[in-house]
Amino acid sequence: MAVVEQPCYTLINFPTDLEPCNEMQLKLDLEKGDTKKKIEALKKTIGIILSGEKIPGLLMIIIRFVLPLQDHMIKKLLLIFWEIVPKTSPDGKLLQEMILVCDAYRKDLQHPNEFIRGSTLRFLCKLKEPELLEPLMPAIRSCLEHRHSYVRRNAVLAIFTIYRNFEFLIPDAPELVANFLETEQDMSCKRNAFLMLLHADQERALTYLSSRLDNVHSFGDILQLVIVELIYKVCHTNPSERSRFIRTVYGLLNASSAAVRYEAAGTLVTLSNAPAAIKAAAACYIDLVVKESDNNVKLIVVGRLGALRAEGGEGAARALPDLAMDVLRVLASSDLDVRKHTLQLALELVSARHAEELVQVLRKEAARAHSADHDDAAKYRQLLVRAMHKAALKFPEVAGSVAPALLELLGEGSEAAAHDVLLFLRHALHAFPDLRDHIYQKLVESVRSVRVGRPARAALWLLAQFADTPGRARAALHVLADVIEGAADTQQPESGPAAAPRRLVTSDGTYATQSAFNLPASGAAEGGAAEGGARLGGALLEGESFTAVCACSALAKLALKLPRQEAARALHLAAVLLARHKQNAGQRGGLTADDMEHAALCVQAGLAGAGLGGGAGGADVRRALLDASDAALAALLALPDREPHLLEDVDKEREPKRQEQKVEIETGITFSQLAGAGASGSQHDMFELALNKALQGRSGGEAIDRGKLCRVRQLTGCSDPVYAEAIVSVNQYDIVLDVLLVNQTDDTLQNCCVELATLGELRLVERAAEVVLAPRDFASLRAHVKVASTENGVIFGNVVYEVTGASMDRGVVVLNDIHIDIVDFIQPAHCSDADFRQMWAEFEWENKVSVNTNMTDLHEYLQHLLASTNMKCLTPEKALSGQCGFMAANLYARSIFGEDALANLSIERPLHKPGAPVLGHVRIRAKTQGMALSLGDKINMMQKASHQKPADPTPAA
């Protein structure tokens, strides 16, 4: 038989390092100690009972020597003690000692102190024994007339709970509470009484509300919340009542309490789909977000606005665009997540009529963010750039005003924001031919201020790619010539003896040397260069060599678009750049072999294409460098993932899941035709759905939602005296072990229990209770484990039991280890390429795992890796398609603790060796060491499992 868990409503934290208690010492302190000793002994007794131990010998001592005391602390502890102590014998009958306790309850209900009365009434709500409650009913009724509101409101709650659990004890409770509600003046007492009528007798609650509809605005906020819930439930059950109460809900949108306004707005949109109702509810939500200071509340309400837009249908499409500009008021918040969600929502709501106004607001925000000095200023500017980019793609008519605003951010020093600006310019120059002249002119004016290598390379490519007219090509050449020649002139040759190298100490204690030539330029020098307009020149001449190679490629393209004389000048500038870097090979590292080869090919192609080198194939070179790049750009921008996303995770979650629905074999079947009238309505009750969702916790992915039968772990062997198996359930930070124990002997096993211990960042918070197993009997136990971080852990232990009448004292069965997998705590997530690169550079812990598998297909290994680690592949499918012998992909996941996990897969398979296994490695990076190591262990285990192939089935003889 299964053991039924005792109900418990109180959670008490006790230190884990407490010394073991002596029962004899506890009896002595409870019997003869002073008040302080009795309080401490009572606390230790409560802790022992909560840990699963049974001490029946203390019950009568507490009744005799502790129960008569009038100390308030002792009475509070006694209420907890009477809640958790077993009140029935093993056969289910009430203990005789509880009659004395019941008499003590009755005296406390008549105590002159209102706190003792109210606390006792709250305690009675937790009792599940009608034999104890029946003698107390007259005293509970009399508390409804007490002078203090604390006693009266707890008396209403006690009557409500008793009526719901044991209606026969007080069958006239609805009438009694309805009469109490008519005469009561205290708002908290009226709230509790109305709440009982809501759940026990809705007709009486409706009668009371109907007579006071005009005065609802004057009620307290706690009562207004219950009224909103009643209106929703009544209108949900009987839609014809909507017109009766909708005016009241409209009035509650202006209530003084933020909670009432939030609930009233949510109820209003369920009662009516009219555009006016949706607009009023959305305006209420926006006002709540602006005035609320808690960032968590802001995120919840902004998410509710997004859900209203998605689920509102035609009414929302007509009403919400007018409020798009009001949503931008939320950008005054300092939290980056709130701003991110707000920008996403505003871009979804805005219409063409307000697009220009939206861009102006974003421009002002960008200017304000440029002067801000908080930590998230650079990330906020990047968000604003992406928002303006998305607005320009959605409404092409505002692209002309977006481009100047973004070009102002090009040289402000933030590499992330500058990169996003150049992505917009690439899209705009390609998609808007009528704006190309204006945007290209602004780009030429702003390109001098670029001082970071990566944006400089992108700007150079744009200058050469879209110089499709002679005027643009000459303007681009003039700018590059001024930058390169001006930067070369400002750098004087070094004179005097070389600076002596200085000695440095590395992290491992060894010495290293560094020359003064390799030190970064001082702040004054950088400032002078910037004032002289040589920011881009510094990036070309003193920055990375690859930036100079990109400039050579751009100059070669310009040479193909210019006349011979100007083409020769462009190629001369490219040669100057190469010579400069070749000359500084000892100081700055010089050009690498790949860079030199790339630059030489560009110069040779420019000579051949411009007809300066005398070689053949100029048309082919022109076609390869100009026409092919145009076609490649058009194909790239046509990909669906090229559009900028502010909230990749939210976008993915909102997409409908087009997957085949799978039903587990233990799932029940519901027949709506056979269900009662209230059953179908309760399935769509907003309050019930919210409560069920909160109790359900985090929804797992496809690998987690596979039913309980897939999570059964066998803990002992089939021939052991006690067979044990467990169902391991992971819910956010908790691991629940449902352990099944089966007595496989013909003896009665007493004090049978499961003793567990943990390794890693796991902590056992609840010990399973002891049970008695009859011959061939079984029982179910439950244990809870708390998770502290995203790391692998191990749960181990044994089953301990005693055999009745046997010579041996105890029997022990060792359990198999339960390995807690990191996959249970991480889930696939999405992030942009720029965010991935930034996190890859910031995270300091790396774990490199070599690929060791018998798989021969690259795509098969990738899919197997994704399924085993629960990560998401960020590399587009189109980039992974085809067979070229090697594959590189980026993977990303996020834990329930908010930790990020990055992985880079680099694998290959020799094409000249058919059947050769996949080779390569997986590099993992994480912010914490434990997560990097745990993911590496998971990949190694996955590879070992892939080596174990199932044996070929052999037909039976």
Side-chain angles (χ1 to χ4, degrees), residues 54 96 231 331 495 569 794 867 929 957:
K54 296 180 181 179
Q96 296 295 328
I231 293 174
L331 293 178
S495 59
R569 186 186 180 193
V794 179
Q929 182 185 18

Side-chain angles (χ1 to χ4, degrees), residues 266-278:
T267 302
L268 180 61
V269 296
T270 59
L271 300 183
S272 174
N273 292 328
I278 294 178

Side-chain angles (χ1 to χ4, degrees), residues 236 676-685:
H236 183 73
S680 61
S682 62
Q683 295 178 1
H684 305 285
D685 191 334

Side-chain angles (χ1 to χ4, degrees), residues 335-345 383 646-647:
D335 186 73
L336 186 64
D337 288 334
V338 175
R339 287 170 164 175
K340 185 186 301 184
H341 285 76
T342 302
L343 288 173
Q344 181 77 17
L345 179 62
L383 284 179
L646 298 180
L647 289 176

Side-chain angles (χ1 to χ4, degrees), residues 205-319:
L206 276 177
T207 303
Y208 176 81
L209 178 61
S210 301
S211 61
R212 293 165 175 80
L213 275 180
D214 296 335
N215 300 325
V216 170
H217 64 278
S218 62
F219 292 167
D221 55 348
I222 55 176
L223 181 57
Q224 288 176 342
L225 285 173
V226 184
I227 289 175
V228 171
E229 183 179 356
L230 172 66
I231 293 174
Y232 174 81
K233 289 182 176 295
V234 170
C235 297
H236 183 73
T237 307
N238 188 7
S240 60
E241 297 284 348
R242 293 180 179 179
S243 58
R244 179 182 175 188
F245 297 106
I246 196 168
R247 188 167 63 90
T248 303
V249 178
Y250 265 108
L252 291 177
L253 292 178
N254 300 319
S256 58
S257 171
V260 174
R261 295 203 303 273
Y262 177 80
E263 295 294 342
T267 302
L268 180 61
V269 296
T270 59
L271 300 183
S272 174
N273 292 328
I278 294 178
K279 187 173 183 179
C284 180
Y285 283 143
I286 295 171
D287 186 64
L288 284 174
V289 180
V290 173
K291 294 182 179 179
E292 184 59 44
S293 59
D294 190 349
N295 290 327
N296 293 321
V297 176
K298 288 177 181 288
L299 288 174
I300 292 173
V301 180
V302 171
R304 190 71 191 90
L305 273 170
L308 180 61
R309 182 203 63 82
E311 302 169 2
E314 184 180 353
R318 294 170 53 188

Side-chain angles (χ1 to χ4, degrees), residues 290-567:
V290 173
K291 294 182 179 179
E292 184 59 44
S293 59
D294 190 349
N295 290 327
N296 293 321
V297 176
K298 288 177 181 288
L299 288 174
I300 292 173
V301 180
V302 171
R304 190 71 191 90
L305 273 170
L308 180 61
R309 182 203 63 82
E311 302 169 2
E314 184 180 353
R318 294 170 53 188
L320 294 181
D322 294 337
L323 299 175
M325 302 310 300
D326 292 335
V327 172
L328 293 177
R329 293 160 52 197
V330 186
L331 293 178
S333 172
S334 60
D335 186 73
L336 186 64
D337 288 334
V338 175
R339 287 170 164 175
K340 185 186 301 184
H341 285 76
T342 302
L343 288 173
Q344 181 77 17
L345 179 62
L347 290 173
E348 293 173 352
L349 295 182
V350 73
S351 61
R353 185 174 55 179
H354 301 96
E356 189 67 35
E357 187 178 356
L358 171 71
V359 172
Q360 296 302 324
V361 173
L362 295 181
R363 290 185 65 174
K364 293 179 181 178
E365 283 292 320
R368 189 181 298 113
H370 181 61
S371 58
D373 57 352
H374 54 83
D375 296 338
D376 294 331
K379 295 182 179 179
Y380 183 42
R381 288 195 294 271
Q382 186 179 8
L383 284 179
L384 291 172
V385 170
R386 293 181 181 179
M388 286 189 275
H389 185 178
K390 197 169 184 179
L393 296 183
K394 188 176 181 181
F395 307 104
E397 60 269 17
V398 301
S401 58
V402 169
L406 294 184
L407 285 169
E408 294 173 0
L409 302 174
L410 190 59
E412 53 93 25
S414 174
E415 181 177 356
H419 178 68
D420 285 322
V421 170
L422 291 167
L423 288 180
F424 163 75
L425 294 178
R426 183 186 67 182
H427 208 137
L429 288 170
H430 175 79
F432 309 127
D434 52 338
L435 299 174
R436 189 171 296 172
D437 288 334
H438 175 66
I439 296 177
Y440 193 87
Q441 180 182 356
K442 294 292 183 181
L443 174 63
V444 170
E445 296 173 357
S446 305
V447 74
R448 300 172 184 266
S449 61
V450 180
R451 57 185 177 186
V452 190
R454 188 181 175 196
R457 295 193 289 269
L460 291 171
W461 185 88
L462 289 176
L463 283 178
Q465 178 66 27
F466 293 100
D468 46 5
T469 63
R472 294 180 197 163
R474 291 190 183 93
L477 178 61
H478 180 68
V479 168
L480 292 179
D482 288 348
V483 168
I484 295 174
E485 294 172 353
D489 293 340
T490 56
Q491 297 179 355
Q492 299 296 330
E494 301 291 342
S495 59
R502 60 174 182 171
R503 180 172 292 181
L504 302 175
V505 180
T506 60
S507 59
D508 60 353
T510 59
Y511 288 104
T513 57
Q514 182 179 16
S515 173
F517 289 111
N518 295 328
L519 295 177
S522 62
E526 290 180 358
E531 293 174 1
R535 291 184 177 182
L536 182 59
L540 292 178
L541 296 180
E542 300 295 335
E544 301 176 2
S545 60
F546 186 57
T547 305
V549 174
C550 292
C552 293
S553 177
L555 289 169
K557 279 190 178 182
L558 291 176
L560 299 178
K561 301 179 180 182
L562 290 169
R564 290 175 60 91
Q565 184 176 359
E566 294 174 341

